[in-house]
């Protein structure tokens, strides 16, 4: 799954046992990448 470090803005791939730290700067806040798809909600 792809994440982006909130400090150094680099793409980070996490595996199941890698922990939750950026391997480049050590920062612990990673942001989940969102898909560019726009979803519409039907209102009834």
């Amino acid at each position: 799954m792809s994440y982006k470090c909130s400090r150094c803005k680099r793409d980070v791939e996490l595996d199941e046992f890698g922990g939750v730290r950026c391997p480049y700067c050590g920062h612990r806040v990673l942001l989940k990448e969102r898909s560019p798809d726009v979803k519409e909600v039907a209102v009834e």
Side-chain angles (χ1 to χ4, degrees):
M1 186 164 283
S2 180
Y3 292 87
K4 187 169 286 234
C5 177
S6 66
R7 180 185 286 164
C8 69
K9 308 295 189 229
R10 294 178 85 173
D11 290 329
V12 177
E13 289 289 327
L14 296 182
D15 61 0
E16 177 173 341
F17 303 106
V20 184
R21 279 190 187 264
C22 176
Y24 305 106
C25 70
H27 197 59
R28 292 178 51 165
V29 178
L30 301 177
L31 306 172
K32 186 174 181 181
E33 291 286 308
R34 293 183 179 252
S35 70
D37 298 337
V38 176
K39 296 180 181 177
E40 292 184 24
V41 178
V43 179
E44 292 184 30

